[in-house]
Amino acid sequence: MNNVPPTSVRSAFATTLLNWYPRHRRDLPWRHTRNPYAIWLSEVILQQTRVKQGLPYYLDFINSYPTVQDLAAAPEDEVLRHWQGLGYYSRARNMHHTAQQVVREYSGQFPTTYAELLKLRGVGQYTAAAIASFAFDEKVAVLDGNVFRVLSRVFGLTQDIAAPASRKVFQQLADTLISADAPAEFNQAIMEFGAIQCTPLKPDCLFCPLQAQCYAFQHGMVAELPIKSKAKAARTRYFHYLVLRHADTLYMRKRTGKDIWQGLYDFALTETDSAELSAVEVLRQVEALGGTIVSDKAEEPSAAYRHVLSHQKLEARFYPVQLQAALPAETLQELGLAAFNAVEIDALPKPILITNYISKT
């Protein structure tokens, strides 16, 4: 970045944030520890998750797995079950693998430097900077959505924050601003400032301590900054689930491959380009599985369940089917299906879409 603010401006910015933070910060459990495991756990959970939603999950994980060794030793299905409802399940899988990596390669002790932390699976620049500064006081600036917003508005940066090339510009600025004496406090302060003062919508500019310094406020550009290009329009996918029941069990399968919800459990699935699946097609599919429907216990398909993910929208319908006999073993093996009773199903990690359907039926 060519236009690094003068030393006096940088010093005033840091001082203002460090004075603001103790008076306004939220009392959050991970702010009362220097334990890198607890800090890492909180950062993974809070990626793409609001604090209000993530806090109960953090408390659950820290109670269920007090140490990185406990998390590493847990079965993946159990970890995913604790994660259920948070979304972006690759975070949970990476978190589990990282815990195992820390135990296996680092004797259960987190690396103590930013450079070493970057070698952990699923730990990017932001998370490494957060752990390095919060746990070990390393002078390395964090850069998350809140920080992008604060820097863009206060210093009038018009680079597209969605463009990878822009990160270098913002990182260079952040690195010139961070307090050498209190790097952890500064990083916490600037993120908290973006979270509760310099918010995306309706920021509290009237009572902002950086008002006089803020480029966006002085130039009437608060609503325009930061600049972020729009993501591609989400595509819609149509899921048709055969909810196959025999006696007191339901047939479910563990999702594999690189699609959404890897490692979670759902029902036998057909995906089409249409929102409807005819009764004739349902019958044909059940027969193709080697099943026979109990006709006098036929049920109507569910109404559409809609679920929005980051880059796609799902519209799912469920087709309850009572089977006369158990499905053939070769069908179960081919499709990865298995029969589970109600207690077993409750313990399985499932997409929230599946959980919502089960809870209503």
Side-chain angles (χ1 to χ4, degrees):
M1 183 175 144
N2 296 324
N3 299 316
V4 175
T7 302
S8 59
V9 173
R10 286 181 274 142
S11 177
F13 178 83
T15 299
T16 299
L17 286 181
L18 291 172
N19 288 336
W20 174 91
Y21 181 60
R23 300 196 301 270
H24 297 90
R25 65 184 176 190
R26 292 166 290 181
D27 185 20
L28 301 171
W30 49 84
R31 290 180 173 162
H32 298 284
T33 181
R34 304 281 270 189
N35 181 349
Y37 168 67
I39 293 168
W40 165 73
L41 200 61
S42 72
E43 293 300 337
V44 174
I45 289 172
L46 293 178
Q47 290 170 14
Q48 299 164 306
T49 301
R50 297 171 70 97
V51 168
K52 184 177 180 180
Q53 182 190 9
L55 179 56
Y57 285 88
Y58 170 81
L59 296 174
D60 176 50
F61 266 93
I62 208 72
N63 288 327
S64 301
Y65 312 112
T67 69
V68 69
Q69 289 85 352
D70 295 322
L71 179 57
E76 183 180 270
D77 279 3
E78 181 183 292
V79 174
L80 289 172
R81 181 66 180 84
H82 281 279
W83 192 271
Q84 186 172 303
L86 265 183
Y88 300 97
Y89 288 89
S90 60
R91 289 185 293 166
R93 291 191 297 273
N94 282 337
M95 182 177 72
H96 190 222
H97 292 152
T98 302
Q100 294 173 335
Q101 182 185 1
V102 170
V103 170
R104 183 178 64 251
E105 299 177 16
Y106 295 89
S107 302
Q109 301 296 317
F110 270 78
T112 60
T113 66
Y114 173 76
E116 278 296 315
L117 286 161
L118 283 173
K119 297 178 183 179
L120 298 179
R121 177 168 177 170
V123 173
Q125 292 172 288
Y126 163 74
T127 304
I131 300 170
S133 61
F134 301 160
F136 306 112
D137 266 330
E138 184 173 352
K139 183 177 175 284
V140 53
V142 295
L143 198 60
D144 72 347
N146 290 317
V147 179
F148 271 117
R149 185 166 56 258
V150 173
L151 296 183
S152 177
R153 286 175 175 168
V154 173
F155 295 97
L157 300 185
T158 56
Q159 288 84 354
D160 179 2
I161 64 171
S166 300
R167 182 179 184 91
K168 183 178 180 181
V169 175
F170 282 85
Q171 189 68 61
Q172 287 179 340
L173 175 58
D175 288 341
T176 69
L177 297 169
I178 187 171
S179 167
D181 297 327
E185 192 87 349
F186 176 88
N187 279 339
Q188 292 278 17
I190 193 170
M191 288 194 295
E192 190 75 336
F193 192 82
I196 66 177
Q197 179 85 32
C198 192
T199 53
L201 300 175
K202 298 181 179 179
D204 189 7
C205 296
L206 185 61
F207 297 102
C208 177
L210 291 171
Q211 183 192 99
Q213 183 182 344
C214 180
Y215 180 95
F217 182 80
Q218 299 298 332
H219 293 81
M221 294 180 64
V222 173
E224 285 73 42
L225 294 177
I227 292 173
K228 184 178 183 180
S229 56
K230 293 184 178 179
K232 295 179 181 178
R235 65 185 178 114
T236 299
R237 302 173 67 181
Y238 299 99
F239 284 9
H240 305 280
Y241 280 115
L242 295 181
V243 186
L244 305 169
R245 181 187 297 277
H246 176 247
D248 293 326
T249 62
L250 285 175
Y251 287 97
M252 301 190 75
R253 51 119 196 202
K254 187 174 186 177
R255 293 179 63 89
T256 57
K258 298 298 182 181
D259 201 359
I260 58 172
W261 302 332
Q262 182 184 348
L264 306 188
Y265 286 76
D266 63 1
F267 304 110
L269 171 64
T270 296
E271 184 174 353
T272 72
D273 295 327
S274 170
E276 304 288 343
L277 197 66
S278 69
V280 172
E281 180 61 18
V282 171
L283 177 61
R284 188 195 69 77
Q285 291 198 19
V286 173
E287 290 177 344
L289 296 176
T292 304
I293 296 176
V294 179
S295 56
D296 61 352
K297 293 187 178 181
E299 297 181 47
E300 289 294 317
S302 73
Y305 282 68
R306 293 179 175 86
H307 189 68
V308 179
L309 301 173
S310 56
H311 300 298
Q312 52 190 289
K313 299 176 182 177
L314 307 181
E315 185 171 308
R317 281 180 168 79
F318 298 83
Y319 303 80
V321 173
Q322 186 72 41
L323 299 172
Q324 290 186 7
L327 290 175
E330 55 268 26
T331 296
L332 302 184
Q333 183 174 3
E334 180 181 349
L335 298 181
L337 290 168
F340 299 95
N341 62 36
V343 173
E344 292 168 332
I345 289 172
D346 185 61
L348 294 176
K350 303 171 290 294
I352 196 67
L353 180 71
I354 301 299
T355 299
N356 288 344
Y357 170 76
I358 290 174
S359 66
K360 291 182 180 180
T361 56

